[in-house]
Amino acid sequence: MSAQNVWRKIAVVISAIILLIAIFALEPSHVQERASVIGIGVDKAENQYEISVQVIVPTGGSSDSQQTDYKGVISAKGINLGDAINNLSTIMGRKLLLMHCNVMVIGETLDNDNLLEFIDYIMRTNRINDSAFIMRSAVSAKELLSMQSTMDSYTSMALQKSSLEHISRGNTVSVNIMNYAKQTKEAGHCAIIPCIVPVKVAKPQGDISTSGGANEEVEEYLFNSEQTGVYKNGEFACLMDKSQTKGYNWIIDEEKLNDGSIESPAFGGKVKKRKADWKVDFDENGDPDVNINVELDVEIEEKGKLNEPFFYKLEDDMKEELVSIVKEDINSLLDLVKRENADIIGLGIKMHKKQLKEYRRLYDKYGDDYISRANFNVNVEIKKKH
């Protein structure tokens, strides 16, 4: 091959590269054809499912300084979750990216539906991050996502922050989509998710910009997540109150320690769960006899210049009161578990792993009602620190 032919081929390749670059430069940015979903809500309306999303749309800028435009909450209906999401894309004229979605809100209108359909769709299609928080709303999901909050300009972010705050005080549970799917499919077939109750707070204009007169007050909301929704075989069963939710956090034997806040006028300090040990035996009828031992670390704040004997007497009184409060939380939870036949505490999972023969015998005899046959014995020990 002559040198002239070599240079001719090189020139053709360079020209082709320049032409491709020019074509892509003339076409609109692929990024700008998409919209990122940061929060998604699911409701039931007129025998259809209504999907509401909080959307952020890229408007330009370099990859290092991408500019975005918040489009608020947009909704669409469909016969199922996938159909509604596709209809949303049609309405917006953009492809919806759900990989950045951090919150999935289930509206109260879905209490009579089975959530497994939605969770199964999410897990199969991988369109929504399975680490996203999942929570039940005491109002419609669309309404909740449309509310303004002082915690963040994006409601989905505010919901996540609110849940994390309540988790740090032991008042709620942290459940993502993967947790929910795992809990529902394991022995016991029960799962729990936080229940969000919006609380309206009147704020003078200026805290959040809005249209209206100078004296107009803007509706803002705080998000209370001290209640917990209980789901059995994917369907809503009942609510756990604040005390029962704290009881759950006291007895689950996970490695992650939970800080607790004990509401006691005599107590000042911090309570942290050290461990929760379970032992499952069986009585003469073959029913479970469950012993739960909870051990807590307590850091007591000094109460001023108290004389030493009185101070230690005060500590003993605190210890008795703390034990009483924690036991009351736990027993309130266990009463609900037995009354609703909802094994949210994982007794079936523990037996399935370590006492499979006994679990199968119980399940064959009672079905999902085996939890109502259990007898629980709770012991709480306090370890004091200064």
Side-chain angles (χ1 to χ4, degrees):
M1 183 181 294
S2 66
Q4 185 177 4
N5 289 335
V6 171
W7 282 109
R8 185 180 293 112
K9 289 186 177 182
I10 292 174
V12 170
V13 171
I14 293 174
S15 299
I17 292 173
I18 293 174
L19 179 60
L20 288 173
I21 292 173
I23 291 173
F24 279 105
L26 290 173
E27 288 188 357
S29 170
H30 292 289
V31 173
Q32 293 183 17
E33 293 176 353
R34 300 176 180 179
S36 293
V37 174
I38 58 174
I40 186 169
V42 186
D43 292 303
K44 188 81 171 286
E46 300 173 359
N47 296 321
Q48 287 187 309
Y49 296 103
E50 183 174 29
I51 305 299
S52 303
V53 293
Q54 278 196 308
V55 179
I56 296 177
V57 176
T59 58
S62 65
S63 58
D64 295 330
S65 59
Q66 183 71 54
Q67 298 175 1
T68 59
D69 180 22
Y70 175 51
K71 293 296 185 183
V73 177
I74 301 171
S75 302
K77 296 178 182 179
I79 58 175
N80 53 44
L81 190 63
D83 184 44
I85 291 175
N86 290 334
N87 291 339
L88 277 170
S89 297
T90 302
I91 291 172
M92 292 200 64
R94 293 171 180 266
K95 181 178 180 181
L96 294 181
L97 298 180
L98 294 113
M99 65 183 67
H100 301 300
C101 179
N102 63 345
V103 168
M104 183 175 186
V105 180
I106 305 299
E108 62 173 352
T109 53
L110 282 170
D111 281 352
N112 296 324
D113 283 62
N114 196 310
L115 293 189
L116 291 180
E117 176 184 345
F118 309 114
I119 303 302
D120 181 62
Y121 170 82
I122 291 167
M123 303 298 288
R124 283 188 296 102
T125 61
N126 200 30
R127 293 183 69 175
I128 299 176
N129 191 343
D130 58 21
S131 64
F133 277 60
I134 181 170
M135 54 191 68
R136 175 187 179 271
S137 173
V139 297
S140 74
K142 180 179 180 179
E143 183 181 354
L144 186 68
L145 288 174
S146 301
M147 292 176 177
Q148 291 181 319
S149 173
T150 57
M151 300 190 70
D152 200 286
S153 56
Y154 299 134
T155 308
S156 58
M157 300 296 185
L159 288 168
Q160 191 174 36
K161 289 179 180 179
S162 176
S163 295
L164 290 172
E165 280 193 2
H166 282 88
I167 289 167
S168 69
R169 298 195 295 272
N171 292 344
T172 192
V173 292
S174 174
V175 180
N176 58 35
I177 293 172
M178 177 67 80
N179 295 148
Y180 181 91
K182 183 178 179 182
Q183 290 174 359
T184 305
K185 293 179 180 179
E186 287 184 326
H189 311 295
C190 289
I192 57 176
I193 61 176
C195 179
I196 305 298
V197 179
V199 180
K200 185 167 66 175
V201 179
K203 293 286 184 180
Q205 185 168 355
D207 292 348
I208 290 183
S209 60
T210 184
S211 59
N215 296 324
E216 182 182 349
E217 289 189 346
V218 180
E219 288 188 351
E220 296 177 344
Y221 291 84
L222 298 176
F223 300 125
N224 186 311
S225 58
E226 293 178 347
Q227 290 184 323
T228 305
V230 176
Y231 288 79
K232 188 175 180 180
N233 292 314
E235 297 181 355
F236 178 76
C238 63
L239 285 174
M240 292 161 50
D241 62 21
K242 178 180 176 181
S243 174
Q244 293 159 345
T245 302
K246 290 181 75 69
Y248 175 87
N249 281 322
W250 290 129
I251 67 171
I252 53 173
D253 55 344
E254 296 180 354
E255 294 183 0
K256 181 181 178 182
L257 299 176
N258 296 312
D259 288 336
S261 60
I262 298 295
E263 295 181 354
S264 166
F267 173 72
K270 294 181 179 180
V271 181
K272 179 176 286 188
K273 181 178 66 179
R274 177 181 290 182
K275 62 181 178 179
D277 289 329
W278 289 51
K279 184 179 179 182
V280 182
D281 295 320
F282 298 89
D283 62 19
E284 61 275 11
N285 297 319
D287 294 337
D289 195 13
V290 186
N291 296 286
I292 303 175
N293 183 65
V294 179
E295 194 171 290
L296 305 176
D297 282 336
V298 180
E299 295 180 2
I300 299 177
E301 297 175 354
E302 298 294 337
K303 295 292 183 180
K305 295 182 178 180
L306 301 175
N307 60 65
E308 191 170 305
F310 179 78
F311 182 72
Y312 282 109
K313 182 178 184 302
L314 186 62
E315 281 191 323
D316 290 337
D317 291 342
M318 288 179 183
K319 181 178 178 180
E320 291 180 6
E321 185 174 4
L322 288 172
V323 168
S324 176
I325 293 172
V326 173
K327 276 189 173 182
E328 184 178 345
D329 290 340
I330 296 172
N331 286 324
S332 178
L333 166 72
L334 297 176
D335 288 344
L336 177 139
V337 165
K338 296 184 68 172
R339 183 172 64 250
E340 298 291 339
N341 289 324
D343 185 9
I344 56 177
I345 58 176
L347 175 61
I349 296 172
K350 296 178 189 299
M351 290 192 297
H352 191 271
K353 289 180 178 178
K354 297 182 179 180
Q355 297 164 301
L356 181 59
K357 183 178 179 181
E358 287 81 358
Y359 170 76
R360 287 177 173 171
R361 175 181 59 79
L362 277 174
Y363 198 83
D364 289 342
K365 187 175 181 181
Y366 300 117
D368 286 333
D369 294 343
Y370 66 85
I371 191 71
S372 66
R373 310 296 301 185
N375 177 46
F376 293 98
N377 305 293
V378 179
N379 180 56
V380 178
E381 297 181 10
I382 303 291
K383 304 295 183 181
K384 293 180 289 186
K385 292 184 177 182
H386 296 288

